[in-house]
Amino acid sequence: MDVYGQIADLGRMQIAELRERYQKVFGERTTTAHKQHLVRRIAWRLQVLAEGDLSERAHRRALKIADDRDLRVNVPASKMKLGRAAVKRKPIPPDLRRPRPGSVLSRTFRGQNIEVKVREDGFEYQGQRYGSLSAIARAATGTRWNGLVFFGLGKREMAKPAKAHRSAAR
């Protein structure tokens, strides 16, 4: 069987069969149970055995590209904070569409009055805390909504078909 036929057969093998095949082509056992990884490694090895490996020049070039001795292995002490690297992030500006804590949002949907209290740490609807207005809109309606749009706080720009205008002259 040709190499490509063998590679095609790999995808139909079970993990145990792939492990056996791995041991045959590499001469060592594997502990992985990741099917896709095994298929790729075995396919690569079968191609190398059939068609040959990289040329010596290409191999040297790949090693030169992979040489990472100039990269830092450890995080500088000045960047350490309680054992973790300190990451300087820009503060996230508050969403101006979000109402202030203490406000109450109200919406009538299909005859049902939906009232939501805005809290510091989220929102409250029917005595239960929610992390987003979208979660409340889904709980109240049973369908997915953009919470800001549902409560009239955000814009929803939908492409509406233009109305056809009839001219007076026929």
Side-chain angles (χ1 to χ4, degrees):
M1 180 182 287
D2 70 330
V3 173
Y4 297 103
Q6 292 178 46
I7 291 172
D9 289 343
L10 293 174
R12 293 185 285 274
M13 291 182 174
Q14 299 294 319
I15 299 291
E17 296 171 309
L18 287 168
R19 284 177 151 175
E20 283 180 36
R21 186 73 172 142
Y22 185 96
Q23 187 168 3
K24 285 179 187 173
V25 296
F26 282 97
E28 61 187 32
R29 296 187 61 188
T30 181
T31 57
T32 188
H34 192 281
K35 184 175 181 172
Q36 190 175 20
H37 174 73
L38 287 169
V39 168
R40 287 179 178 169
R41 292 274 297 157
I42 296 167
W44 170 79
R45 185 67 178 164
L46 290 173
Q47 287 177 329
V48 166
L49 293 173
E51 300 169 15
D53 203 354
L54 292 174
S55 68
E56 187 58 36
R57 181 174 178 250
H59 188 68
R60 281 193 313 269
R61 178 73 178 132
L63 288 174
K64 186 176 180 183
I65 291 170
D67 184 14
D68 59 359
R69 283 181 289 183
D70 60 333
L71 297 178
R72 246 184 223 270
V73 177
N74 297 326
V75 177
S78 63
K79 300 285 184 190
M80 294 297 288
K81 186 177 187 179
L82 298 175
R84 295 183 181 162
V87 178
K88 292 183 181 180
R89 295 183 181 162
K90 293 180 183 176
I92 298 171
D95 188 348
L96 300 176
R97 299 172 299 174
R98 187 175 198 263
R100 289 193 171 122
S103 358
V104 175
L105 302 175
S106 183
R107 156 91 196 254
T108 302
F109 181 80
R110 294 187 181 167
Q112 176 189 3
N113 189 31
I114 301 166
E115 270 195 13
V116 175
K117 293 178 186 174
V118 181
R119 305 267 185 215
E120 286 284 340
D121 62 341
F123 304 91
E124 184 180 321
Y125 170 64
Q126 293 183 337
Q128 190 173 355
R129 190 202 161 291
Y130 289 85
S132 70
L133 289 172
S134 298
I136 293 171
R138 183 169 188 182
T141 66
T143 58
R144 292 185 185 268
W145 279 86
N146 175 313
L148 294 171
V149 170
F150 182 79
F151 286 100
L153 302 172
K155 292 182 181 177
R156 184 170 191 170
E157 297 179 19
M158 294 178 60
K160 294 182 181 177
K163 292 183 181 179
H165 295 285
R166 293 186 182 190
S167 63
R170 287 189 187 199

